[in-house]
Structure formats: structure tokens, C-alpha cells
Amino acid sequence: MKQKNIRNFCIVAHIDHGKSTLADRLLERTHTVESRDMKQQVLDSLSLERERGITIKLVPVRMNYRARDGLDYVLNLIDTPGHVDFGYEVSRSLAACEGALLVVDATQGVEAQTVANAYQAIEQGLEILPIVNKIDLPSSLPENAKKEIADVVGLDASNAVLASAKDGTGIDEILERVVSDVPPPEGNPDAPLEALIFDSVYDNYRGVICYVRVMNGTLRPGQHILFMATNGRYPVDEVGVFRPGFTPVDCLGPGEVGYISASVKSLAEARVGDTVTDAAKPVDRPLPGYRKVKSVVFCGFYPVERDDYPQLRDALEKLCLNDAAITYEPETSVALGFGFRCGFLGLLHMDVAQERLKREFDVDLVATAPNVVYEITAQNGAVIEAHRPSDFPEIGEIEEIREPFIKLSVFLPSEYVGKVMQLVQEKRGIYRSMDYLTPDRVRLVYEMPLAEFIVDFHDKLKSQTRGYASLDYEFIGLRPSELVRVDVLVNGEAADAFSFICHKDAAYHRGHAAVTRLKELIPSQLFEVPIQASIGKRVIVRVNVKALRKDVLAKCYGGDITRKRKLLEKQKEGKKRMKQIGKVSIPQEAFLAFLQIDGEGK
Amino acid sequence: MPLFSPLFSLYLHVPFCVSKCSYCAFYSEPLGETPFLSNPPVSSRPFIMDSFISNPSITKWLLALSREAGYIDEIWEGRPRLRTLYIGGGTPTVLSLSQWERLLGILEGAFDFSVIEEVTVEANPCSLTEGHLRLWRDSFVTRVSVGVQSLQDDELSWLGRRHGSRMALQALEKTLSCGFDVSADLIFGLPFQTLRTWHDSLRGVAGSGVGHISAYQLTLEPGTPLARSSPSLPEGYSFYRFAQWYLPRRGLEQYEIASFSRPGKECRHNAAYWRQDPVLALGPGAWGYLSGFRYRNAPTLEEYAAWAATRPPVAEAERLGAPEGEFSQSHSRPRGVEAAILALRTKWGIDTTSFARRFGEELTEEVLGVLKKIPPRLVEFFEGGVRLTSSGMRVGNAIWVELLELADR
């Protein structure tokens, strides 16, 4: 295929604006997939993705299209994950394209992720074709949507395609516009090989399969290639394209999108964003934009049954073969025993990993509430990465604590502005801007600690705005914060498992909530048990668990003695199952409550 | 203390009732024609027992009992000397006078009553007759325990009792006037009971002149109709604490978790249990304790009678709760821990010297060590021993659980 007849493009859209349905229609119209073989939304290959209507893993596809000019074209569609957690993967996919379809729902207008995605595409220098989708719906307002694209995103939407992916309206026009508007790829087939890995997957039989976009040079089976970030060298077993299944070809030239299979054993050796070059004739420097993904959200995974720890470990190992962005290391918990501390790109990523472990590996697990990583500079200059409260040095030894911040954009109907501003401020949000997109739609921009965002922000936002708000965020780095570690003392003894990190202004409130909760969960003992929350040595709040006042059932004669003893034995076993902190017996539920376990049937 | 005391306590179980009370888990066969009624008519006079005279179950039971008694002589090479005897149930007063005569005859034939200290019979107000009282007075019975349970008619009917408060008080009066030591059972912790009604029951019973009161908390025993209806029961703290406060003011001191008495009127038979003294069992479902091993006779009349026909029921008795080896091990830790727990039920508490003699200095020190860590308002150390205070008795389970952990070491 001649380079000038290739078009590489992707679709970007806010969640639910119809991206996957549109992709399905394009495949159907180009006979890449016959409609009778069409599963709903072919590209979302994980069952989980189909259920949730979101795309997590990218699956590219190659379409053959004879345009109205009578020429045959190859259209490579690279689907992108529609979630901010996968921002880096999105950027690499965009880098593999020359054009992007920007899909906007004609009933909803521009949403938070529409803007974020469009800007990313512009940043990558892509040609953007606005598509106003769902025009078949009675409530659709295509002109408003076009106006919002112009006003809010700032793109010329006068020639936007009006489409309905559902009934097929506008599909032909979209294909024509891809051919006419998206520029053909550039690149020199005789230059040294330069290919971008925009995704890689693990196949049980073939090992790692890299999805690549060739920028310059040519890829062939038998060629020795070099992964520039990891310095791995492998002979190529097979190259091919997606039709949409893996189809081997003789070579991949500049501008082409396809896959390489080279017996690479682990995803860590073929990282997304890395540059593949010819081992014998390498390029001087890799393609720009590569970075090693870094986990931003962490949580603990523990087996429901303690004996199932090995199964969980095996499942995590296998899952990580498929998803190099997950990190994990063993940890132990007072309440849950042996498990793993896992790092993720974001909340959705975490959710998906948990779900996949359950479905694909049949592992029953409990997940602890997510948290972030803090960076601490000690007075002696040492820099500490603190994953858990116990990693924090004593309060007097801390020079500065930094925590990850995000820039948060919320699009919402103007009637909810007051409520949402209040919510964001409660979450330590810092106001940046507010724009009226239309008289009744507003964009709020705040900066906010990630730690506050991951707790329950999304749920609260949804309930405050009845689901009418959309949000997008990006990481903007670590910032100093006035954080403190609040310790909980039970009967004067520090109980590590109950410590937590929070802003100093929230310490009293959160400390109060913590000791009150513990008061409910710790059963009465033979003596009064004080429960205190403290910052360093300073106690900020105290409650007491009253001493046990009655624990005896009256009679006990000859025949009762055996029964009585059994009851006492049972009571003893119950006590044994509790964890002793000093003289106080604390039931497992108390520890679980503090981990805010998100267990079965969430 | 020798391994086998030459003196025994004997528990005889009478496994018959007119009808089962809703809360009771003891073994008995209802004799009444009518099934259990949640609101039985409150009878104004005792049931006539004649209808049970020729009851085949009772006849069968008496026959089996006489057979078991017949083996006693073989096993013990002579008639064992009894210190205390307790005839409980069930409802011993459902037996007619002639059946009682037969029963007392069997006992006299099998046991030596020459040094007997106490013989208690349990009596139900609705089946207790003056005939019973006369017969008992003329035999060796010294003490009658009357199942009063409450002096509130609505409470009694909720419990499935077939008598009212008047009848219960009459039963106490009659028994007292015959010169017996009298004990009354009372129950607290009913769903609709109030401190006021509890006070009324305590006052009425204490005022009748009884020398002993057993105050039980209502518990849901598995398999009882009450447990099946799973009512929500109060924690019972205020009732129990009130009894602990009120009864001593009326001259009835608390000498055990559930027992209150005037001076010298403590139940000696029950004390045998709390001291781990040897107790023999007679009759189906009866339990005994011999030198560290606790056993129970066949639990139903059917099985019991079958055994008794061929061999001593005690040989087939189910050994209960005694860990392996305890039978022969006089210094067994589990047995010592149980001894400590039982002793702490009573106002006498643990006598350090005799406890050390029975179970060794080491365990004694460990027990005292555990008790010293208990907050001082709950335990009282005195010259030669340690006991629970009134507050300690209220949280006995939690204290005993601490001791029980010693048994595992």
C-alpha cells in the first residue's frame, strides 16, 4: 500500500458519547466485519469493557475503503481508552495517528473529557474532525453542540459531520472526510527503522505482542530489533496487521500500523511508548514522549481466605503479564494477614484490576481503601516516599510533606455550581477558574489533592449534581501540604493499624470520627478503655469504652457445668480471634472498618 | 482429699411433666393430654394426679430405676453413704403418692441415709398436694424447692406455667408450715418484665419467709419453643443488680451467682457441684461427677430402660466434657481451672491452701496471677483466699474466660 493511501486516525470522546458504536459502524460499512458477525462493539474485547461501556485496552483495526475518488485506501483506526487513568496510553495512541474524530453527543454537548481529549489531540498535532453524534434522538440539539465545540473547545465546527452511529447516518461522510481531511503519513522506507509501541499485550502462546506504528524504515520477519528504553534485542518472528484479527504480512512500511511478535517474555521489556529500531542500524535517539508509567493510586489486595494467598500471588503475576502498569509488593496487615500492596494508574484502573482478578482468575479478594504516596523531606535532608502512615517520621523530624495534586475540570449545569464549589472546597480544592460555557452550563477548574479526590469525590459529585456533571483531571505534580499523621491510642497504647494521614485542619474532625467508630466496634472490657487520637504527643480527642457491666447468666448446677464450660470455651475462642493491643481485645471488624474494606458484592 | 470420698451426693431426675414450659430444655416427657398452650388457664387448685397413677411411662421408669438401684450395691460393694440428695426434674410432683412411696423405697434400699445432711425435692405449685408434703415430712426429705418463677400472672402464662401467683404463694405457705426448708425459684429477664414487677416477685417470695431464693436469668435454650420464637430478651443487668441489692436487705445474702439464702440455709447439694465433690446420677438424663469425670445417663426413658434391663446404666453413660486423662490425673490443669471457676461462683471463693493441695502451687500462683490483673473492684483478696465482689459476679464470664486460657498452657 502506498503511503499516500494510508490514513491513521483515532476517535476521542467523552464517555457514553458513542465512540464505540461509531467504531462498530465504520467496521461494518467497510466490510471489515460483517454485521452478522458483529458483536456489539467489537473493539471493546474484554467482557468487562463491554459491560461497562468503556474502553480500557486499545485494539487497533485496519479497514480497506474504496473512496468516492475511486482509489483504495487503508484506514487504521486506533481506539483509545476513554478514561483519564490511561492518559499516557491515550497520548501514545494519539502519537500513532495523523487525525482524530472528536465525537460530541448532540444531546449532551461538550463535556469535561471532550475538552481534555481534544486538547491532547491538538497537542499531538492531529487533524481533528468534529462529529456531532446521536442526531437521531428527539432531544438532540446539533447546532448547540456545534456552537459548544466552537466556543468551549475552540475548534471550527462549521463543517462538523452530523451523524447517528446508531442508525448509520453520516457514516459514509465520515469515511470520506477521513480520506480527504486526515493527512497521509510521512516517512522514509529506506531510513533506519523507527516504530512507536503504542500498546502491547501478552499472549499465552506467543508471548508479548507489540502494537506499533512505523514512522520510518521497514519492519520484516527475521530482522533483529532493539527496544530502546529497555535495550532488549530480539529477532522478529512475525509482523502483521489487524483485520481485525491478527493477520501476518511480509513487511510494515512507514505510516503503517500493525503488530510485531518477537518472543518477548514480559511486558516490562516492551513498554508502551518505547521506540523499536533495527539492532544493526539503530536510530540516534528514540521518538519523543516515552515515560515510565508511575502508579498514583495504591491499595491492598488480600485473599478472603488466608490460605488463598498463593492463588492471589499467581493471579497477580499473570495479570501483570497483561498489564504492565500494575505494580505490586507483598505486605501484611493485622486484620487481613498476608496480601499485596498494589499500585495503579488511577481508580478505574484499580477497579478493573480487581474485577479481572475475580473474573479471569477466580480469586476472591478484599481490597482496602485506596491511598496515595506522599513524599517527605526530613530535617536531615533525606527524602522519604511514604506509602503508609507508619512510613512517616516523627513529627519533629519532618521538614516538609508533599502530596500529589490534580487539576480538576468539572462541567456542570449552572444550578449546581454552589453545591459543587462547596464540595470541592471541603476536599481542599483550590479555585482556579469558572467559565459560563452557555448561560446554563459552567466549567469549574480547581486544583485538588489526589488523596481527597480518590476517597469518594466522584460519587459525591454525582449525587450532588444528579449525574449531570462530568469531570476530567490531570496530575500536576507533588505539592507541599500541611499534613499530619493522626495516631490512635487504645488504652494508652499506639495502634498502628488505625493511624491515618490528613490535613491538619481536618485532624480533629477525622480523629473524632475515628475514635467514635472504634468506640462502637471495641466491646466492653473488664475495665474502662480510653481511646484517643493524637498528633505526635498531643491528644486531640478522647472517648471511653465503658467497662463491661454484665456478662454472666445465672444458674450452673451439675448438668449445666459441661454446657457452661463449652459456652465459656466459645467465648474464649472469640476472644482469641481478637487482636490484643496492650490489655485490650480488639475484634477484626474494627480493623476492617478502618481499611474501609470494599469486599464482595460491592 | 482422697480420690474417692466415702460420702456422695445423689441426683435423681424425674423425667415427667404435665406439660413442657416454653423455656425449659431439661429432659422430660409431657404426660398431659393437651399440648403446650401459650396461654393455659390458670388453675385455682392443684391438678389431680390420679390420671397418671397408671401411666405406663411412669411404671416403666420406676421399674428401670429399681434395676439401676439394684446395680448400685454391686458397683460400690454395699450401700453408698449419701450426704445430700436432690430429686429434680422434670416435675417430681407429678408422681402420685403411691409412686412416691415406691421411689423412696427404692432409694432407701440402695443408699445409706445415716449421715444424710439434706434431701431436696423440686415441687411445682400446680401439682404439689398436701399429701406429698405429709409423705415427705414422714420420710427423709428436708427441703423443698418450689418453682415459683414469678408472682405476675401474665409473666407466668407467657412462660407457659400452668399456675398463677396465688397458687405459687399458697404452695410456699403450705410447704413452710410443714416445717421444710424452702427455696423458691424466680426468673428475670422476660421481654415485658419491669423492675417494678421484678421487685413485686422478689418481695412476695422473700416476704413469704423462704430461706432460699434462686434467681435465674431467662435464657434461650436451643430446641425450646421459646428459642424458636426468638423473642428479644433484655440484657438483664438492672434486674440482676436489683436482686443483688434488694435480697440482702431482706436477709437473703448472695452466696453464689444465682443463689441467695438466709444464714445456714445455703443449698448443700449445689455446693457439692461447685466444689467438684462426687455426685452419683440416677434416672434417665441425670448427670453425675466422679473424680474428675462428668457423665450423663441415657437421655431418654426408652434408652435408659433398655440399658437398665441388661447392665448398669452408669457403664454406658456418656462422658461429658472431661478431657482425656483427667479421670486419673488429680493434678490436671483443666480440672484445676474448672475448680477455680466453680469456686469463684460462690462467696467462699478459692481457698488458696486447699486449692494448692489439690492442684499444686504452680497453678495456684497462675490463677492468682490472672486474678491480680483483673480490676480490683471485681475481685477481693482476703486472708487465705480470693472471691468475686458483687460487681465481679455480674461479669463472671469475662473473668472466667481469662482463667480458662490457663487450661491451654
Side-chain angles (χ1 to χ4, degrees):
Chain A
M1 181 55 60
K2 287 177 192 156
Q3 239 169 282
K4 68 179 175 63
N5 289 3
I6 297 175
R7 298 293 181 272
N8 297 316
F9 71 106
C10 58
I11 309 176
V12 294
H14 188 76
I15 189 165
D16 284 343
H17 280 198
K19 182 178 74 172
S20 297
T21 317
L22 177 61
D24 288 352
R25 271 311 89 69
L26 296 175
L27 299 191
E28 226 174 78
R29 192 59 57 92
T30 55
H31 306 287
T32 311
V33 176
E34 294 305 326
S35 47
R36 64 171 181 277
D37 297 334
M38 199 78 192
K39 273 178 282 175
Q40 187 83 45
Q41 297 172 9
V42 164
L43 296 188
D44 295 346
S45 68
L46 291 169
S47 62
L48 192 61
E49 294 179 330
R50 269 201 296 279
E51 249 166 61
R52 297 192 176 204
I54 50 167
T55 307
I56 297 153
K57 268 298 196 191
L58 321 162
V59 181
V61 65
R62 174 177 166 134
M63 300 175 277
N64 292 321
Y65 177 64
R66 178 163 292 175
R68 287 181 194 147
D69 62 13
L71 299 174
D72 288 326
Y73 291 86
V74 163
L75 311 183
N76 289 308
L77 167 59
I78 296 171
D79 201 8
T80 58
H83 195 275
V84 62
D85 282 2
F86 307 100
Y88 173 69
E89 279 85 344
V90 173
S91 80
R92 296 305 83 206
S93 309
L94 295 177
C97 302
E98 281 78 26
L101 307 182
L102 176 68
V103 179
V104 175
D105 186 322
T107 66
Q108 308 281 321
V110 169
E111 295 285 5
Q113 285 163 21
T114 317
V115 179
N117 290 327
Y119 287 0
Q120 277 204 9
I122 292 164
E123 187 187 13
Q124 294 287 339
L126 269 51
E127 183 65 35
I128 296 176
L129 304 181
I131 314 284
V132 175
N133 192 22
K134 303 196 187 179
I135 58 161
D136 58 307
L137 293 178
S139 58
S140 73
L141 296 165
E143 287 311 308
N144 278 21
K146 281 164 83 168
K147 189 167 178 305
E148 283 192 18
I149 293 170
D151 291 351
V152 181
V153 186
L155 288 171
D156 175 16
S158 59
N159 60 352
V161 182
L162 300 186
S164 163
K166 199 171 148 206
D167 66 15
T169 310
I171 301 302
D172 292 330
E173 195 190 342
I174 291 169
L175 287 167
E176 281 302 310
R177 290 281 295 279
V178 168
V179 169
S180 64
D181 292 12
V182 174
E186 294 169 357
N188 177 358
D190 304 319
L193 174 66
E194 202 177 18
L196 170 72
I197 303 179
F198 61 86
D199 195 13
S200 50
V201 297
Y202 185 83
D203 180 284
N204 285 335
Y205 303 102
R206 298 200 274 185
V208 175
I209 296 177
C210 304
Y211 296 180
V212 295
R213 153 73 197 266
V214 179
M215 298 298 184
N216 279 302
T218 310
L219 255 174
R220 285 195 173 81
Q223 189 175 9
H224 285 258
I225 52 169
L226 167 68
F227 292 93
M228 295 185 80
T230 55
N231 215 24
R233 284 154 203 268
Y234 297 89
V236 174
D237 297 333
E238 181 179 307
V239 298
V241 296
F242 313 97
R243 289 183 192 277
F246 295 124
T247 311
V249 295
D250 295 338
C251 68
L252 290 174
E256 288 201 276
V257 170
Y259 67 89
I260 322 170
S261 146
S263 305
V264 180
K265 292 288 176 294
S266 94
L267 285 180
E269 295 165 75
R271 296 188 186 141
V272 172
D274 196 1
T275 304
V276 176
T277 188
D278 192 315
K281 201 170 45 163
V283 288
D284 296 339
R285 65 169 69 95
L287 294 161
Y290 168 77
R291 64 183 163 88
K292 197 163 179 242
V293 290
K294 202 164 183 248
S295 304
V296 289
V297 172
F298 294 81
C299 79
F301 280 174
Y302 291 84
V304 171
E305 297 298 332
R306 290 184 182 214
D307 295 347
D308 292 346
Y309 176 80
Q311 282 92 308
L312 175 60
R313 187 190 52 217
D314 293 352
L316 263 174
E317 269 170 22
K318 283 183 193 143
L319 182 64
C320 289
L321 287 177
N322 277 295
D323 187 345
I326 300 173
T327 59
Y328 66 98
E329 60 176 62
E331 73 168 0
T332 51
S333 141
V334 184
L336 299 167
F338 291 102
F340 294 94
R341 178 142 209 89
C342 305
F344 305 96
L345 301 174
L347 284 179
L348 179 78
H349 188 218
M350 178 179 94
D351 242 24
V352 167
Q354 189 178 347
E355 207 61 36
R356 288 185 66 188
L357 284 171
K358 284 185 190 172
R359 289 184 190 203
E360 295 170 31
F361 300 97
D362 203 20
V363 175
D364 279 337
L365 59 86
V366 287
T368 64
N371 69 303
V372 302
V373 174
Y374 300 95
E375 197 177 274
I376 300 163
T377 306
Q379 299 226 311
N380 63 13
V383 175
I384 300 157
E385 211 176 70
H387 282 256
R388 43 187 89 72
S390 57
D391 295 341
F392 275 57
E394 288 303 316
I395 194 160
E397 296 167 18
I398 296 173
E399 180 72 37
E400 185 182 79
I401 305 176
R402 290 174 296 278
E403 64 174 328
F405 262 71
I406 56 169
K407 186 174 129 198
L408 173 77
S409 313
V410 184
F411 283 53
L412 72 166
S414 51
E415 58 186 296
Y416 300 117
V417 165
K419 279 184 174 174
V420 172
M421 285 182 124
Q422 196 187 341
L423 170 66
V424 179
Q425 265 149 20
E426 280 167 13
K427 299 278 186 183
R428 297 195 279 138
I430 303 158
Y431 173 83
R432 281 291 168 256
S433 65
M434 177 169 92
D435 310 299
Y436 275 84
L437 308 175
T438 65
D440 38 58
R441 293 234 308 145
V442 171
R443 173 172 59 190
L444 286 174
V445 177
Y446 274 80
E447 287 168 3
M448 179 196 246
L450 176 63
E452 301 283 348
F453 179 78
I454 62 176
V455 179
D456 54 0
F457 183 81
H458 208 163
D459 290 342
K460 283 206 164 135
L461 179 71
K462 270 193 251 168
S463 69
Q464 292 282 0
T465 61
R466 300 190 185 171
Y468 282 114
S470 65
L471 67 80
D472 188 72
Y473 65 91
E474 60 181 301
F475 299 104
I476 52 176
L478 293 162
R479 290 189 179 178
S481 271
E482 294 200 71
L483 298 172
V484 289
R485 183 180 80 194
V486 178
D487 291 319
V488 173
L489 304 162
V490 177
N491 203 29
E493 306 254 354
D496 264 4
F498 303 133
S499 298
F500 57 91
I501 305 299
C502 71
H503 192 263
K504 75 171 176 36
D505 293 345
Y508 173 78
H509 177 73
R510 293 270 313 271
H512 187 270
V515 296
T516 310
R517 183 97 182 90
L518 271 179
K519 185 186 170 182
E520 287 163 18
L521 290 164
I522 296 179
S524 287
Q525 320 268 321
L526 285 169
F527 44 90
E528 187 170 75
V529 178
I531 303 174
Q532 299 155 302
S534 74
I535 299 172
K537 300 254 178 299
R538 188 167 56 91
V539 172
I540 52 172
V541 52
R542 165 183 173 140
V543 296
N544 290 327
V545 178
K546 284 216 164 63
L548 184 66
R549 61 178 205 169
K550 180 172 176 299
D551 182 16
V552 74
L553 289 173
K555 68 184 167 177
C556 178
Y557 305 131
D560 302 323
I561 292 172
T562 306
R563 233 158 24 108
K564 207 91 200 175
R565 184 167 174 154
K566 280 181 187 155
L567 289 175
L568 284 176
E569 290 283 357
K570 222 164 143 187
Q571 190 167 342
K572 184 182 84 180
E573 290 312 312
K575 195 184 155 201
K576 261 194 191 164
R577 277 194 299 275
M578 294 194 208
K579 165 92 182 162
Q580 295 290 318
I581 291 185
K583 285 161 69 186
V584 182
S585 309
I586 301 178
Q588 205 191 15
E589 295 79 65
F591 295 98
L592 295 178
F594 267 71
L595 297 169
Q596 298 166 34
I597 292 307
D598 210 12
E600 299 302 280
K602 71 165 283 204
Chain B
M1 184 181 179
L3 205 60
F4 277 84
S5 160
L7 288 176
F8 292 98
S9 289
L10 172 66
Y11 177 72
L12 171 74
H13 191 71
V14 181
F16 304 105
C17 286
V18 173
S19 62
K20 291 285 290 189
C21 298
S22 61
Y23 55 89
C24 177
F26 284 103
Y27 167 60
S28 76
E29 308 221 328
L31 299 169
E33 317 250 279
T34 50
F36 170 76
L37 299 169
S38 60
N39 283 308
V42 174
S43 332
S44 59
R45 63 173 67 184
F47 270 82
I48 304 301
M49 289 302 111
D50 294 351
S51 57
F52 301 139
I53 287 174
S54 55
N55 182 289
S57 294
I58 297 181
T59 311
K60 188 175 183 179
W61 172 68
L62 282 168
L63 177 67
L65 212 55
S66 67
R67 284 197 170 133
E68 186 180 12
Y71 297 118
I72 301 275
D73 191 60
E74 272 174 46
I75 296 170
W76 299 101
E77 296 170 353
R79 294 188 307 159
R81 289 196 299 163
L82 294 186
R83 200 174 61 78
T84 69
L85 164 62
Y86 197 100
I87 303 174
T91 311
T93 43
V94 297
L95 301 182
S96 68
L97 295 187
S98 55
Q99 286 159 344
W100 264 104
E101 279 171 356
R102 174 95 197 275
L103 176 61
L104 295 175
I106 292 169
L107 290 170
E108 274 179 316
F111 298 96
D112 178 349
F113 283 82
S114 62
V115 293
I116 193 84
E117 292 174 14
E118 178 189 279
V119 175
T120 307
V121 176
E122 278 182 354
N124 185 315
C126 51
S127 49
L128 176 67
T129 64
E130 290 185 16
H132 284 120
L133 292 169
R134 272 199 302 275
L135 180 74
W136 294 341
R137 197 179 51 195
D138 296 341
S139 70
F140 42 71
V141 176
T142 63
R143 189 171 177 273
V144 178
S145 171
V146 183
V148 175
Q149 317 309 357
S150 166
L151 291 180
Q152 307 294 315
D153 288 343
D154 54 348
E155 292 175 7
L156 287 168
S157 97
W158 187 83
L159 288 167
R161 303 290 294 182
R162 302 175 75 98
H163 60 83
S165 58
R166 238 173 74 87
M167 199 176 197
L169 280 172
Q170 279 168 2
L172 290 177
E173 273 167 37
K174 273 188 271 178
T175 313
L176 282 162
S177 67
C178 287
F180 291 106
D181 285 335
V182 180
S183 174
D185 287 353
L186 286 174
I187 293 186
F188 65 89
L190 279 61
F192 49 90
Q193 193 175 26
T194 64
L195 208 51
R196 197 169 290 280
T197 65
W198 176 232
H199 169 241
D200 284 347
S201 295
L202 287 170
R203 188 188 51 200
V205 169
S208 73
V210 299
H212 188 279
I213 290 176
S214 295
Y216 308 135
Q217 179 160 7
L218 179 64
T219 53
L220 298 179
E221 302 297 335
T224 59
L226 189 66
R228 279 192 291 276
S229 72
S230 56
S232 98
L233 301 179
E235 170 213 23
Y237 168 78
S238 54
F239 297 107
Y240 190 49
R241 191 162 185 191
F242 181 78
Q244 285 184 312
W245 175 83
Y246 176 78
L247 289 176
R249 295 163 68 89
R250 303 298 303 263
L252 293 133
E253 295 288 341
Q254 182 171 24
Y255 71 96
E256 190 264 343
I257 298 289
S259 312
F260 299 79
S261 82
R262 298 190 194 283
K265 299 294 183 188
E266 297 85 5
C267 178
R268 289 160 188 244
H269 182 84
N270 287 344
Y273 297 131
W274 302 324
R275 283 198 304 256
Q276 294 184 329
D277 285 348
V279 178
L280 299 175
L282 206 61
W287 12 257
Y289 181 82
L290 287 172
S291 199
F293 121 76
R294 195 161 277 119
Y295 67 98
R296 186 176 67 179
N297 273 350
T300 65
L301 177 54
E302 207 59 43
E303 280 179 81
Y304 172 75
W307 285 358
T310 56
R311 56 200 180 279
V314 66
E316 299 293 330
E318 182 190 357
R319 297 181 183 212
L320 297 168
E324 283 303 312
E326 201 175 317
F327 185 60
S328 56
Q329 229 184 312
S330 59
H331 277 215
S332 143
R333 285 180 76 87
R335 197 172 149 198
V337 168
E338 186 186 277
I341 290 172
L342 289 171
L344 287 173
R345 292 189 68 87
T346 69
K347 71 171 180 187
W348 304 287
I350 298 171
D351 180 307
T352 327
T353 317
S354 77
F355 189 86
R357 201 164 53 232
R358 288 175 68 196
F359 303 108
E361 292 290 344
E362 193 188 330
L363 186 62
T364 311
E365 284 310 310
E366 286 178 48
V367 166
L368 294 177
V370 168
L371 295 175
K372 275 175 190 148
K373 284 193 207 134
I374 307 277
R377 63 186 179 84
L378 304 176
V379 288
E380 183 187 342
F381 288 88
F382 55 90
E383 186 62 43
V386 55
R387 65 169 81 95
L388 300 188
T389 62
S390 293
S391 309
M393 284 194 177
R394 290 197 291 269
V395 294
N397 284 349
I399 295 172
W400 299 325
V401 162
E402 305 269 331
L403 286 173
L404 212 48
E405 283 168 11
L406 292 178
D408 296 344
R409 286 193 200 155

